[in-house]
Amino acid sequence: MFELLLLAAAALLASYLYTRLRYLRSRQYAHIPQLPNDLIWGHLKVFDQFMRRGILDRHPDKIFEEMWESRGRPPIFLVDLRPINPPIALITSHDIAEQISKPNKSFPLSTPKSPTWRQMIPIVGPTSIIGKEGSDWKDLRRRYNSGFTPQHLWSLLPVVLEKMEPFWNYLDQFAASGEEFSLETLISNLTFDVIGAAVMEVDLNAQHTDRSKQGEVIRLFAELMHTYNDDKNNLPWWIVPLTTLKRHKLARRIDMLVKGLIKKKYVEAKEGAAGNRSRSIIALSFQDTEALTPQLLSETSDQVRSFLFAGHDTNASALQWVFYELSRTPRALKAVRDELDEILGPETDPRIICATLAQRGEHILPRMQYINAVIKETLRLHPPASTVRMTQPGHDFKIHTSTGEEYCMDGLIMYACQSIIQRDPAVYGDMANDWVPERWLGEAAKSIPSTAWRPFERGPRNCIGLELANLESRVIIAIVARKYDFIKMGLGESALDEKGRPVLNDKGQHKVHSELYNTRRMTAKPVDGTIMKVKFSC
């Protein structure tokens, strides 16, 4: 009798689980365009199939894009990755992306961040401004906003310029030797030094190609970031338990080191004479504090780690692509150099340029309109990251398409895929996939909706560091663009004619033997570290 009851209970449980699974896979989000959904694997199986059709380590956004195109390019597209992650609603149009990033009745500070941001906690800490919501986020943003205003950033320009010399010294050495090198390594180390100086006014000793000579924070950060290499789907801890343990161990050590620096800087900020106080971003955030409580110390450490990560990582990726695109687009490189000649004069010595920018940078850098177009176009084609939002069931948060459909987004990860949105032919025309800085100049720029360019996202929760990133990028380009010629080696290398000269395609760029592409290492980065040679410009 007991055996019969047990069999009946097992049959009922199996029937319930089967019915529940059929609902989750086939009916729950059946109204959203998607590919056929496997009862057991959802879209994990089809994701794997698409991944294996191309280069295996390409960025998952490319795999999403191929899946989306096979379904006919709908404005919203479902990818069900349960049980690895909640189901994803791929947002592919700028008008829908705007709906999730702007304030609305239910969410006055825009829709909440997806809980998948917690994958980053070992890097940025549990109280990071990246993941905070509501009044907690608002208080943090208010505390740090003044440190990222254009007015304050101009006061930090000398700090940025001080970090440039090791960078150009390495370029001089590689130009003299003819050796190949990783541009990612040089630029990432430079941007780490810059953000460390801007945020805390400390020297992180990042600019050593020999890791053993770098500061401990830099070495540990690099080791921590390495644990995220090519994690295509934010794998949960129960799939990668040993990696998760390693991340948290490294995070605790980084947190301890950063807290030590903060304590020292807090004392300096409070004891410094009025005319000799630190200009750093955290010093500014301490102005209205009475004491460095354990809670404030912990919160500040998380924000510093967030700024160190975001402030070096995304800009390092963008600048690699800037120099690569300039190296293979002669007309654009000439335009950059002509603009710098006009603004700075013919002198190309980095020391003289830095001295000029230190004196008159506030007036000079805003005049670099073509360089600004180069930066914008690079971030359009090669965005380092995208925003991810989520509303819990019961909020009834809906988005509306341009063709009149309405979709409830509750329970879905809303992934505004910038690499699709910013290549929309309806906005950018037949040359949407081409690198054309001129589209951001004059009348041409007026035809592009402001909502269609969003590498720093938009709305209340746009990136707090966008002005610093733009300032840093213009400085670096101004210093090196005329003195050095970069030559890509390996992936993305230019095809040469019988006389050893690059061959131009019909778009005015060098033909290449193979395409350089992004992979995912927490953010999007060139897969090979952008291997280059460099020579002195004639």
Side-chain angles (χ1 to χ4, degrees):
M1 184 69 178
F2 177 75
E3 289 84 357
L4 289 175
L5 288 172
L6 192 62
L7 285 172
L12 285 172
L13 179 62
S15 175
Y16 167 78
L17 291 175
Y18 176 77
T19 303
R20 179 64 178 168
L21 191 58
R22 279 190 61 85
Y23 167 74
L24 293 175
R25 297 297 194 198
S26 303
R27 295 173 53 195
Q28 186 179 19
Y29 298 113
H31 59 295
I32 299 177
Q34 58 187 282
L35 294 175
N37 205 339
D38 186 87
L39 181 64
I40 302 298
W41 299 107
H43 289 129
L44 285 168
K45 190 173 180 180
V46 74
F47 181 91
D48 182 70
Q49 291 169 350
F50 272 85
M51 181 181 72
R52 294 180 187 281
R53 292 179 187 179
I55 300 168
L56 292 180
D57 61 351
R58 68 196 186 280
H59 196 284
D61 282 3
K62 294 301 295 182
I63 302 168
F64 288 148
E65 182 180 354
E66 292 157 18
M67 294 169 66
W68 166 71
E69 286 181 336
S70 75
R71 184 59 177 78
R73 301 170 65 94
I76 183 173
F77 177 70
L78 184 81
V79 183
D80 186 355
L81 299 179
R82 291 175 288 188
I84 302 300
N85 274 311
I88 297 172
L90 197 69
I91 307 299
T92 63
S93 72
H94 66 93
D95 56 337
I96 297 178
E98 191 72 0
Q99 292 174 47
I100 70 171
S101 65
K102 70 181 182 181
N104 55 70
K105 289 182 180 178
S106 300
F107 304 105
L109 298 174
S110 80
T111 51
K113 291 294 184 78
S114 163
T116 52
W117 83 270
R118 294 184 173 278
Q119 184 81 354
M120 300 171 62
I121 282 179
I123 301 173
V124 301
T127 66
S128 170
I129 193 171
I130 292 171
K132 280 293 186 180
E133 298 292 344
S135 60
D136 290 338
W137 172 83
K138 203 170 181 179
D139 290 344
L140 282 173
R141 185 76 179 222
R142 187 184 301 115
R143 185 189 305 168
Y144 290 98
N145 259 343
S146 58
F148 289 95
T149 61
Q151 295 86 350
H152 183 68
L153 291 178
W154 289 124
S155 75
L156 293 177
L157 181 57
V159 173
V160 175
L161 294 170
E162 286 171 7
K163 298 300 178 181
M164 295 296 149
E165 186 169 355
F167 179 62
W168 79 63
N169 282 339
Y170 279 118
L171 292 179
D172 283 347
Q173 292 171 25
F174 287 122
S177 70
E179 294 176 70
E180 295 182 8
F181 64 96
S182 166
L183 187 59
E184 177 181 358
T185 298
L186 292 193
I187 291 184
S188 180
N189 290 348
L190 168 60
T191 55
F192 230 135
D193 253 358
V194 168
I195 195 66
V199 172
M200 294 188 289
E201 206 170 29
V202 296
D203 187 353
L204 294 174
N205 293 311
Q207 294 191 74
H208 292 281
T209 52
D210 180 351
R211 285 282 185 201
S212 66
K213 296 180 180 178
Q214 293 179 322
E216 188 177 3
V217 170
I218 300 299
R219 295 198 308 273
L220 292 172
F221 234 103
E223 191 175 351
L224 176 58
M225 294 300 298
H226 186 73
T227 68
Y228 289 87
N229 279 6
D230 203 33
D231 178 359
K232 289 187 181 298
N233 287 314
N234 287 336
L235 297 175
W237 71 267
W238 46 270
I239 292 181
V240 286
L242 294 180
T243 299
T244 302
L245 286 172
K246 182 177 181 179
R247 288 171 182 168
H248 285 285
K249 180 180 178 182
L250 290 167
R252 286 193 295 272
R253 177 63 182 166
I254 294 170
D255 184 51
M256 185 188 76
L257 293 171
V258 170
K259 283 178 177 174
L261 292 171
I262 292 168
K263 289 176 183 177
K264 180 180 177 182
K265 290 299 172 181
Y266 185 84
V267 171
E268 291 177 6
K270 291 302 181 181
E271 293 181 354
N276 193 35
R277 285 181 180 159
S278 170
R279 296 168 294 182
S280 73
I281 290 166
I282 62 162
L284 210 58
S285 75
F286 289 147
Q287 283 186 345
D288 298 324
T289 62
E290 297 294 330
L292 186 61
T293 63
Q295 179 182 348
L296 178 59
L297 176 62
S298 183
E299 268 192 2
T300 304
S301 176
D302 288 354
Q303 308 329 310
V304 167
R305 290 158 60 196
S306 300
F307 298 149
L308 289 177
F309 164 66
H312 99 277
D313 188 83
T314 55
N315 221 27
S317 174
L319 283 164
Q320 289 174 72
W321 280 107
V322 163
F323 287 114
Y324 173 64
E325 296 288 7
L326 285 174
S327 76
R328 64 188 293 252
T329 315
R331 76 170 195 286
L333 182 57
K334 182 179 184 303
V336 165
R337 288 172 169 174
D338 287 348
E339 181 171 81
L340 291 172
D341 284 345
E342 180 184 343
I343 295 172
L344 295 170
E347 182 57 63
T348 63
D349 184 332
R351 287 180 179 80
I352 295 175
I353 294 171
C354 282
T356 302
L357 292 176
Q359 293 174 357
R360 299 186 287 118
E362 187 172 355
H363 306 289
I364 290 174
L365 290 169
R367 293 171 56 195
M368 297 179 181
Q369 295 183 10
Y370 192 87
I371 289 173
N372 191 59
V374 163
I375 295 167
K376 287 194 73 170
E377 181 68 349
T378 302
L379 287 167
R380 180 188 75 83
L381 271 189
H382 310 292
S386 300
T387 192
V388 188
R389 308 297 179 96
M390 189 175 187
T391 56
Q392 296 300 322
H395 283 100
D396 197 31
F397 177 74
K398 295 175 180 176
I399 56 96
H400 303 83
T401 70
S402 59
T403 51
E405 292 92 355
E406 181 181 80
Y407 297 100
C408 179
M409 293 286 99
D410 289 358
L412 292 167
I413 294 175
M414 292 174 276
Y415 181 48
C417 188
Q418 316 298 23
S419 60
I420 294 177
I421 292 169
Q422 296 184 159
R423 294 177 181 234
D424 186 353
V427 175
Y428 296 103
D430 295 339
M431 300 178 75
N433 289 318
D434 299 331
W435 189 76
V436 185
E438 293 80 7
R439 75 172 83 241
W440 299 104
L441 301 173
E443 291 299 315
K446 296 178 181 178
S447 66
I448 302 174
S450 58
T451 56
W453 187 83
R454 45 198 319 126
F456 296 102
E457 254 314 315
R458 290 171 49 82
R461 300 202 64 158
N462 68 338
C463 175
I464 194 172
L466 68 92
E467 292 291 347
L468 176 58
N470 195 268
L471 171 68
E472 180 184 39
S473 295
R474 283 178 288 173
V475 166
I476 293 170
I477 294 169
I479 288 171
V480 306
R482 290 181 297 170
K483 184 176 179 181
Y484 307 99
D485 287 330
F486 290 92
I487 305 152
K488 187 68 181 70
M489 307 304 294
L491 280 176
E493 185 174 343
S494 296
L496 305 179
D497 63 17
E498 63 279 2
K499 295 182 179 180
R501 297 172 302 193
V503 180
L504 291 181
N505 61 23
D506 58 356
K507 296 167 184 174
Q509 289 190 306
H510 295 174
K511 291 183 179 180
V512 295
H513 291 296
S514 56
E515 294 293 334
L516 183 62
Y517 60 93
N518 271 336
T519 191
R520 185 178 190 266
R521 300 203 297 270
M522 182 49 71
T523 56
K525 296 180 179 71
V527 66
D528 67 344
T530 316
I531 301 301
M532 290 279 194
K533 284 187 176 181
V534 68
K535 65 180 183 180
F536 296 116
S537 176
C538 299

